[in-house]
């Protein structure tokens, strides 16, 4: 990840509560246990995963799950809003303890390499908690008759930078070159900006995670109506992201996630956001491809 850390906002929520499990609280590393706070880095611009609601407060799947984990651990959860492409930099700089921001667990991120396998950083660990894939979002009515990635050849696609969709589009570029139809990839800071390009006719489609794609189609975004076309591509797990040296926090958080899943609270959170199809059965460390 490139760029410098920028904290646009910082919001706190959740509380320890009497139902916190003393055994898990005691297993937290001393800095988190002593502070009584789990600091979470997130990009609150990706509904329904993480966003700001009408009151300007953090909301969404990641927010609800993070708060549930905080209760299980007996700590308060503090959300630090950071642009998606700067989250890894903030984690490395110890600006927060973990990242929860619809981040897909994959080998490249775990190894800290770029698309060509060159080492970029020390890599990270993931605790996987949800499974989803990539979908194609187009203008309502699908005027360009888009159904697959190959249909994007000779056209412009929009997407949020530093995402798995950016890597997917990068792999599609040479495929389109073989057909002598150039694929132009317009990368944006946010998914809403990518949707705006589709709404303005400057891109034929937006590539985004399936929950965000479905939400855009259901709610209407960027002043326009959209629809999801084709099949979901490359399903994989979202994961809580931690520095590799934070093994104690990783293992304790994994236990807390298992507890939240077994309690039934996890299923209630997914049901609230209409995301039960992506439910994980248990916490898995570094389970992505």
């Amino acid at each position: 990840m490139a760029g410098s850390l920028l904290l646009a906002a910082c919001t706190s929520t959740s509380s320890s509560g009497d139902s916190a499990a003393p055994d898990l609280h005691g297993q937290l590393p001393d800095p988190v246990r002593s502070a009584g706070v789990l600091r979470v880095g997130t990009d609150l611009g990706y509904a329904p995963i993480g966003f700001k609601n009408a009151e300007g407060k953090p909301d969404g799947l990641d927010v609800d799950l993070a708060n549930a984990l905080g209760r299980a651990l007996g700590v308060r959860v503090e959300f630090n809003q950071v642009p998606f492409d700067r989250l890894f930099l903030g984690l490395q700089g110890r600006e927060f303890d973990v990242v929860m921001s619809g981040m897909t667990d994959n080998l490249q991120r775990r190894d800290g390499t770029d698309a060509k396998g060159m080492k970029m950083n020390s890599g990270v660990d993931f605790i996987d908690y949800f499974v989803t894939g990539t979908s194609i979002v187009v203008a309502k009515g699908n005027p360009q008759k888009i159904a697959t990635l190959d249909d994007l050849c000779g056209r412009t696609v929009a997407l949020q930078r530093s995402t798995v969709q950016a890597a997917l589009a990068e792999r599609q570029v040479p495929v389109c070159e073989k057909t002598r139809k150039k694929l132009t990839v317009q990368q944006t800071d946010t998914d809403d900006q990518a949707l705006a390009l589709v709404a303005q006719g400057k891109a034929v489609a937006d590539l985004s995670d399936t929950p965000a794609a479905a939400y855009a189609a259901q709610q209407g975004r960027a002043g326009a109506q959209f629809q999801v076309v084709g099949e979901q591509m490359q399903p994989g797990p979202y994961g809580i992201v931690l520095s590799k040296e934070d093994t104690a926090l990783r293992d304790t958080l994994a236990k807390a996630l298992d507890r939240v899943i077994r309690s039934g609270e996890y299923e209630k959170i997914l049901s609230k956001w209409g995301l039960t199809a992506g439910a994980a059965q248990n916490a898995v460390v570094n389970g992505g491809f």
Side-chain angles (χ1 to χ4, degrees):
M1 299 294 177
S4 59
L5 178 67
L6 172 63
L7 292 182
C10 178
T11 309
S12 300
T13 187
S14 185
S15 60
S16 57
D18 296 333
S19 60
D23 60 318
L24 291 184
H25 183 80
Q27 293 174 38
L28 285 167
D30 184 64
V32 177
R33 187 175 65 252
S34 299
V37 177
L38 180 69
R39 301 171 302 162
V40 177
T42 188
D43 180 2
L44 295 172
Y46 209 51
I49 305 304
F51 64 102
K52 288 184 178 180
N53 60 25
E55 289 73 42
K57 296 180 180 180
D59 209 348
L61 168 65
D62 282 348
V63 173
D64 286 349
L65 185 56
N67 284 328
L69 291 171
R71 289 189 291 271
L73 294 167
V75 296
R76 179 169 57 87
V77 175
E78 177 184 280
F79 296 102
N80 297 270
Q81 183 182 339
V82 182
F84 190 85
D85 62 347
R86 297 173 181 174
L87 285 167
F88 278 9
L89 200 64
L91 184 67
Q92 293 167 355
R94 296 291 178 178
E95 296 290 340
F96 29 83
D97 305 302
V98 304
V99 167
M100 288 186 70
S101 194
M103 187 76 72
T104 300
D105 172 4
N106 59 38
L107 184 61
Q108 185 175 317
R109 285 170 170 163
R110 295 199 304 270
D111 287 349
T113 57
D114 63 16
K116 297 180 179 179
M118 298 295 291
K119 194 73 173 178
M120 302 293 290
N121 54 61
S122 58
V124 294
D125 279 342
F126 286 85
I127 305 169
D128 301 336
Y129 63 90
F130 181 75
V131 180
T132 190
T134 292
S135 289
I136 302 174
V137 184
V138 299
K140 190 74 172 181
N142 194 10
Q144 301 298 322
K145 308 303 179 186
I146 304 297
T148 69
L149 290 179
D150 290 342
D151 294 332
L152 299 176
C153 294
R155 294 168 165 143
T156 297
V157 64
L159 49 86
Q160 186 176 5
R161 64 172 50 88
S162 299
T163 59
V164 294
Q165 286 76 35
L168 183 63
E170 184 177 350
R171 292 193 294 271
Q172 183 65 21
V173 168
V175 174
C176 291
E177 287 178 348
K178 292 179 180 179
T179 67
R180 297 184 178 180
K181 294 180 180 179
K182 180 182 178 182
L183 171 61
T184 300
V185 180
Q186 182 66 52
Q187 299 196 34
T188 60
D189 291 331
T190 69
D191 189 57
D192 274 351
Q193 290 174 352
L195 288 169
L197 292 177
V198 177
Q200 296 161 12
K202 296 179 180 179
V204 298
D206 168 34
L207 299 181
S208 63
D209 288 348
T210 297
Y215 191 87
Q218 293 165 2
Q219 302 293 326
R221 308 293 293 279
Q225 298 297 312
F226 303 95
Q227 72 182 75
V228 178
V229 297
E231 301 293 328
Q232 177 177 256
M233 298 171 284
Q234 296 188 334
Y238 281 170
I240 303 168
V241 191
L242 306 93
S243 297
K244 282 190 175 294
E245 59 266 29
D246 288 340
T247 55
L249 180 58
R250 181 198 67 196
D251 294 346
T252 305
L253 268 172
K255 293 175 184 176
L257 177 57
D258 276 334
R259 180 167 293 178
V260 171
I261 292 173
R262 290 195 303 269
S263 72
E265 187 172 9
Y266 173 75
E267 184 177 3
K268 291 179 181 178
I269 292 170
L270 293 183
S271 295
K272 173 183 175 181
W273 297 107
L275 299 174
T276 54
Q281 300 304 307
N282 56 277
V284 176
V285 174
N286 296 330
F289 298 106

